Amino acid sequence: MNSKWYKEAVVYQVYPFSFMDADNDGWGDIAGIISKLDYIRELGATAIWFSPLYVSPDYDYGYDISDYCAIDPKFGTMEDFDRLLQECHKKELKVIMDMVLNHTSTEHPWFKAAISSPDSAYRDYYIIRKGKEEKGKLLPPTNWASTFTGSAWERIEGTEDFYLHLFCKEQADLNWENPRVRDEIVSILDFWLKKGVDGFRFDVFNMFSKVYPLSDDTSKSFQKGSPYFVDGPRMHEFLQELNERVLSHYDCYTVGESYHPSAENAHAYVQEENHELDSIFNFAHLDADNIGGAKFFKKPFDLLQFKEGLFEPQITEYEGGWNTLVLENHDNPRSVSRFNIDTKHYRYEAATMLATLTYLGFGTPFIYMGQEIGMTNSAFRGIDEMKDPVSHFVYDLLRGYHVPEKLAFSFINYGARDHARVPMAWDDSINGGFNRGAKTWQSVFTEYRNINAEKDLKAKKSVYRFYQKLLKLRKENQTFIYGTFREYLHDHKQIAAYSREYGGKSFLVIANFSRKSVSVSLEENMRNAALCLNNYSAVKKDGLTLTLQPYQAVVYTTGEEK
């Protein structure tokens, strides 16, 4: 039943907490989202991915779900959601729901029942094990570490048992080995698909399957325990089961957020013949300015690493699979404040260069709210202005190792997810137009008076208007959807370039990743090529020598599409 509509889609991500607060209570809401649907549609988006809207105690701000089939009251009601779904479809916007199925909130009725008694029918919904005695102390069952720091096990009060939580202790891991758990998950997915939603983003999906028996990790893994919970032995089986039992019955799209998958598994998850997922997110390029994917720890930006991370999936997934194209999301700082970019002098140029380079590649573009107006990182003054639990966990960890307060905060401030989660800047009125003045759940974007949607739309150099041109070019040329991908100048330390070819038409995308002018030589077939996109008012091309200004990106075309 899958029409593969996602291949020609452009997805806009909304983080509901921070998008638009219509009722002025400090939290974003569904009514606020509905009021901005035209803004999203006019950008060129054809689908919206909503971060969780479900009932949650918000220890991880929506990613700890206590009721999968109800809307959290701070966002609205189920009737409000039904109206949102109707309005989206009326405007030809597909709806993609976030689905967090590795774990539930510890306030979910299943978990409360599970810990109420060792004989509870829900005990086996979770991964619960007895602690181990060592030298008179009761220790966790294994030495696994939570991805949010500390042990991955939490003791159940009044017992010698522990439950597994690979994230916050308020996020208890589900036991996917239990067929009843998988039955529940199928029912949840079916509930939303019957309502008419068009797909799901699966949170940390490749942690569903664990290696049994659960044992201490004696390897030198990047994350203690990861060999036991990343790309587990039944991962492909579980995904195929979901596909067979529910997903394949609807014309829906699935995209998975994976946690450091092996190259082999990443490829297998998206192969059409395997009937697992339609696509996964590839984030390797976003590690090019930090140490080993630990985004709080800065390193000199490596353009070669960025290019390899961005381009490699476009090559490997071209035959038999599908790819995603990502610069930002709710888990990453703003792209224009990264990668050694001179944001002060070249924010517009860098924002539009990054978009050109990324979104004309092979795969489905994902745009995070605020990215389309070039929102930068916020100027947080201290850890108390940050809400993300990860920011606080890592800060406390650093302080525990006696890292000075100012230095510890500088680490957190570089890679904090909070930068993406401040309220959207709509105009220069109070709170950036997010609401009418009520105290916001998260501190407001510090630069909203200078960077906001209203001001950008009126600007001569508008990031939003450039996105419109870029996405229109992509929509009108099948080459950008289905064309082959070939990289050029791989070893160049300032330039990134590739071509797309399809049906007799060829495009060359070339971008300067530096704050200095750079000249490159083009191939002979580009001598009479036509310029079709440029983020500057002019381009210097002398025969086959192209000189790009700081952060300039251009697109040339040859041939006619058949």
Side-chain angles (χ1 to χ4, degrees):
M1 290 184 65
N2 198 323
S3 66
K4 313 297 183 190
W5 57 263
Y6 58 88
K7 293 187 176 183
E8 299 187 14
V10 173
V11 184
Y12 186 92
Q13 184 190 353
V14 167
Y15 188 69
F17 289 83
S18 299
F19 192 62
M20 184 67 189
D21 175 17
D23 63 4
N24 196 39
D25 66 352
W27 304 86
D29 48 46
I30 291 173
I33 295 169
I34 292 172
S35 73
K36 297 296 184 180
L37 290 179
D38 285 338
Y39 169 90
I40 297 172
R41 179 61 183 160
E42 287 166 12
L43 177 68
T46 61
I48 305 177
W49 153 28
F50 295 102
S51 286
L53 290 160
Y54 321 105
V55 177
S56 168
D58 292 334
Y59 287 102
D60 192 22
Y61 294 97
Y63 287 87
D64 50 321
I65 299 170
S66 54
D67 188 340
Y68 287 86
C69 296
I71 298 298
D72 195 295
K74 66 177 167 290
F75 298 134
T77 64
M78 187 60 80
E79 289 72 26
D80 292 327
F81 175 81
D82 290 341
R83 181 177 162 232
L84 171 63
L85 184 63
Q86 182 181 31
E87 290 297 318
C88 284
H89 285 166
K90 192 184 297 183
K91 297 177 188 297
E92 298 185 322
L93 290 164
K94 302 283 190 181
V95 172
I96 299 168
M97 299 291 280
D98 218 322
M99 198 51 70
V100 187
L101 301 173
N102 177 71
H103 45 262
T104 73
S105 165
T106 51
E107 294 187 22
H108 195 290
W110 299 343
F111 186 78
K112 289 183 174 181
I115 63 172
S116 66
S117 164
D119 300 321
S120 168
Y122 288 93
R123 193 80 167 181
D124 199 37
Y125 270 45
Y126 297 89
I127 300 172
I128 297 174
R129 296 290 186 275
K130 188 174 182 179
K132 55 187 179 184
E133 288 267 358
E134 281 189 18
K135 298 179 181 179
K137 287 187 176 181
L138 186 67
L139 301 179
T142 71
N143 66 347
W144 298 4
S146 161
T147 61
F148 281 11
T149 74
S151 172
W153 297 93
E154 183 72 10
R155 188 172 178 177
I156 298 174
E157 188 177 353
T159 76
E160 294 185 351
D161 290 341
F162 292 71
Y163 66 88
L164 181 68
H165 62 91
L166 295 177
F167 295 87
C168 291
K169 64 183 175 64
E170 294 83 7
Q171 295 168 295
D173 275 50
L174 284 166
N175 175 20
W176 274 70
E177 299 290 320
N178 183 348
R180 287 183 61 197
V181 169
R182 302 199 300 278
D183 289 344
E184 300 271 19
I185 288 166
V186 166
S187 295
I188 291 166
L189 298 179
D190 195 55
F191 171 84
W192 291 103
L193 288 167
K194 279 180 178 173
K195 270 192 168 291
V197 307
D198 303 290
F200 301 104
R201 176 259 190 190
F202 290 128
D203 187 66
V204 293
F205 77 89
N206 65 325
M207 291 180 162
F208 295 167
S209 172
K210 276 71 172 179
V211 175
Y212 293 90
L214 308 182
S215 307
D216 279 343
D217 180 6
T218 57
S219 71
K220 294 180 180 178
S221 57
F222 67 94
Q223 174 81 40
K224 248 346 173 192
S226 58
Y228 289 86
F229 59 71
V230 173
D231 296 334
R234 299 186 68 187
M235 213 38 263
H236 298 288
E237 175 191 342
F238 290 156
L239 292 174
Q240 288 165 3
E241 180 180 338
L242 290 185
N243 207 293
E244 180 183 349
R245 294 180 64 186
V246 61
L247 299 173
S248 64
H249 300 185
Y250 297 87
D251 185 16
C252 71
Y253 166 59
T254 54
V255 56
E257 179 210 27
S258 54
Y259 186 81
H260 300 285
S262 69
E264 179 184 2
N265 279 298
H267 182 68
Y269 291 137
V270 301
Q271 290 301 291
E272 288 187 20
E273 64 184 14
N274 292 344
H275 305 291
E276 296 181 24
L277 297 174
D278 294 314
S279 61
I280 66 172
F281 289 123
N282 295 290
F283 299 133
H285 56 301
L286 301 182
D287 294 341
D289 65 347
N290 56 63
I291 300 171
K295 55 193 169 190
F296 295 111
F297 302 105
K298 185 178 181 179
K299 73 170 187 181
F301 175 59
D302 184 343
L303 179 58
L304 271 61
Q305 182 182 347
F306 182 93
K307 291 192 286 187
E308 184 173 335
L310 180 63
F311 296 157
E312 185 62 26
Q314 301 185 49
I315 298 167
T316 58
E317 305 310 339
Y318 185 76
E319 295 292 341
W322 198 251
N323 187 44
T324 56
L325 302 167
V326 180
L327 274 172
E328 298 181 17
N329 60 22
H330 63 290
D331 282 338
N332 284 281
R334 293 295 185 176
S335 56
V336 289
S337 294
R338 303 180 64 178
F339 316 130
N340 196 34
I341 286 170
D342 182 356
T343 310
K344 182 178 179 180
H345 298 103
Y346 297 106
R347 182 180 63 87
Y348 166 82
E349 290 79 9
T352 52
M353 178 276 289
L354 286 169
T356 303
L357 183 67
T358 304
Y359 296 131
L360 294 180
F362 172 69
T364 299
F366 279 76
I367 300 164
Y368 183 69
M369 63 183 217
Q371 182 186 325
E372 76 285 355
I373 59 170
M375 283 179 68
T376 62
N377 282 352
S378 213
F380 293 112
R381 293 169 296 183
I383 193 69
D384 291 341
E385 291 188 349
M386 294 180 170
K387 293 289 188 181
D388 180 25
V390 179
S391 296
H392 287 267
F393 292 153
V394 178
Y395 179 80
D396 290 345
L397 179 69
L398 292 172
R399 294 290 287 130
Y401 281 104
H402 308 293
V403 175
E405 186 176 331
K406 188 174 181 180
L407 180 60
F409 178 68
S410 72
F411 283 127
I412 304 306
N413 196 38
Y414 182 71
R417 304 193 297 183
D418 303 81
H419 291 299
R421 300 181 180 194
V422 296
M424 175 72 179
W426 292 106
D427 56 43
D428 63 3
S429 65
I430 189 168
N431 294 339
F434 170 67
N435 62 17
R436 297 185 301 281
K439 181 176 173 57
T440 57
W441 77 278
Q442 164 72 287
S443 57
V444 298
F445 176 46
T446 54
E447 308 303 313
Y448 76 83
R449 290 181 179 87
N450 298 316
I451 304 171
N452 60 69
E454 182 180 72
K455 185 172 182 178
D456 183 81
L457 284 164
K458 293 176 180 177
K460 184 177 180 181
K461 295 197 297 186
S462 165
V463 180
Y464 183 98
R465 299 296 185 204
F466 184 87
Y467 264 76
Q468 287 181 312
K469 293 176 187 175
L470 172 68
L471 297 176
K472 184 173 184 286
L473 178 67
R474 183 183 183 276
K475 179 181 180 181
E476 292 176 350
N477 290 276
Q478 295 279 288
T479 304
F480 292 119
I481 314 295
Y482 301 108
T484 57
F485 179 96
R486 178 187 174 192
E487 185 188 3
Y488 297 89
L489 303 172
H490 174 75
D491 295 325
H492 202 293
K493 294 183 179 179
Q494 291 87 36
I495 298 292
Y498 60 85
S499 65
R500 305 295 310 280
E501 296 184 17
Y502 182 77
K505 194 165 189 176
S506 174
F507 288 90
L508 176 70
V509 179
I510 185 163
N512 180 5
F513 235 101
S514 77
R515 62 191 74 186
K516 295 181 179 179
S517 296
V518 179
S519 295
V520 294
S521 297
L522 303 176
E523 294 186 351
E524 180 60 36
N525 69 329
M526 299 303 296
R527 185 176 295 278
N528 298 313
L531 179 68
C532 53
L533 191 67
N534 180 13
N535 66 342
Y536 272 69
S537 59
V539 61
K540 185 177 179 181
K541 181 173 175 282
D542 184 6
L544 293 175
T545 300
L546 177 68
T547 301
L548 295 177
Q549 301 305 305
Y551 306 106
Q552 185 170 15
V554 295
V555 181
Y556 284 99
T557 183
T558 62
E560 294 296 327
E561 201 163 73
K562 295 179 180 177

